[in-house]
């Protein structure tokens, strides 16, 4: 995360110790198009391909670049219903939580899962073909997960903003 220090003149970005502005430019370009060639990146950030390749390799090895992914159109793949499920558990000990997490990781309809604070313990992003598909998932798979307490489902009516970019 880029932090800033406020001075009388302007905000000065504070970067993680081993990242510089060229690294951030590389990350920004790769977020926009992970298939961009090293040669094209080098031309855009005014470096030769070899140091760009070395920087990308370092960013991968350090874990800053976790993976490369292809974003798909859910509608065209018959997964047009997105549901956010807020889940609370009956028991809150470590063993029960780990069992729940293992079960959720085995449910393909769950594409994201977050441990959250507040009234609920987890937030799930679920993708289904339609309402009948979600009903089947909810009744026959999710509700069968051990230690499941309460589930509140919220149906997404439309996507306003959807991005995976964290460097702007």
């Amino acid at each position: 995360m880029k932090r800033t220090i406020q001075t009388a003149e302007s905000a000065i970005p504070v970067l993680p110790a081993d990242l510089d502005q060229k690294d951030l430019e590389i990350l920004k370009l790769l977020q926009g198009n992970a298939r961009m060639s090293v040669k094209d990146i080098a031309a855009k950030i005014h470096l030769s391909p070899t140091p760009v390749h070395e920087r990308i390799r370092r960013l991968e090895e350090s874990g800053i670049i976790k993976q490369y992914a292809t974003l798909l159109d859910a509608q065209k793949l018959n997964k047009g219903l997105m549901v956010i499920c807020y889940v609370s558990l009956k028991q809150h000990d470590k063993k029960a939580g780990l069992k729940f997490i293992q079960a959720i990781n085995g449910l393909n309809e769950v594409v994201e899962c977050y441990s959250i604070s507040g009234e609920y313990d987890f937030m799930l992003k679920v993708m289904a073909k339609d309402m009948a598909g979600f009903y089947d998932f909810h009744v026959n798979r999710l509700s069968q997960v051990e230690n499941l307490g309460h589930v509140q489902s919220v149906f997404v009516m439309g996507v306003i903003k959807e991005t995976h970019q964290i460097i702007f």
Side-chain angles (χ1 to χ4, degrees):
M1 174 188 279
K2 184 166 45 170
R3 300 179 315 254
T4 60
I5 297 175
Q6 295 292 350
T7 65
E9 296 83 36
S10 65
I12 302 169
V14 177
L15 305 175
D18 56 347
L19 288 183
D20 63 17
Q21 196 59 42
K22 294 291 184 185
D23 290 328
L24 293 178
E25 290 175 34
I26 291 169
L27 292 171
K28 182 177 180 180
L29 290 169
L30 287 173
Q31 284 182 126
N33 179 3
R35 294 184 68 184
M36 183 177 277
S37 72
V38 169
K39 181 181 172 186
D40 289 342
I41 294 170
K44 288 193 179 289
I45 67 167
H46 309 293
L47 285 178
S48 64
T50 300
V52 169
H53 176 68
E54 290 170 359
R55 284 171 179 264
I56 292 171
R57 186 179 46 76
R58 179 177 47 81
L59 292 165
E60 291 169 343
E61 289 173 357
S62 71
I64 291 172
I65 295 176
K66 293 178 9 177
Q67 72 180 47
Y68 296 92
T70 301
L71 302 178
L72 306 175
D73 185 324
Q75 292 284 348
K76 292 180 180 176
L77 294 168
N78 286 329
K79 296 290 183 183
L81 181 65
M82 183 188 312
V83 184
I84 304 300
C85 296
Y86 295 98
V87 175
S88 59
L89 302 181
K90 291 178 186 174
Q91 294 178 284
H92 292 89
D93 60 84
K94 188 173 183 176
K95 185 177 178 182
L98 288 174
K99 279 187 172 182
F100 175 80
I101 291 168
Q102 288 173 339
I104 291 303
N105 281 326
L107 300 175
N108 291 333
E109 296 87 350
V110 177
V111 295
E112 295 178 33
C113 175
Y114 301 96
S115 174
I116 60 174
S117 64
E119 182 179 348
Y120 294 96
D121 302 309
F122 295 92
M123 184 183 85
L124 313 177
K125 178 178 171 184
V126 177
M127 301 299 294
K129 178 179 179 181
D130 52 22
M131 188 62 76
F134 176 74
Y135 178 82
D136 178 63
F137 163 76
H138 188 278
V139 170
N140 297 313
R141 303 194 60 208
L142 182 61
S143 67
Q144 302 305 309
V145 171
E146 186 179 330
N147 194 36
L148 189 73
H150 179 70
V151 177
Q152 179 179 343
S153 300
V154 178
F155 298 91
V156 175
M157 304 293 286
V159 177
I160 307 304
K161 181 176 181 180
E162 183 177 57
T163 183
H164 296 279
Q165 296 184 0
I166 58 175
I167 304 273
F168 303 102

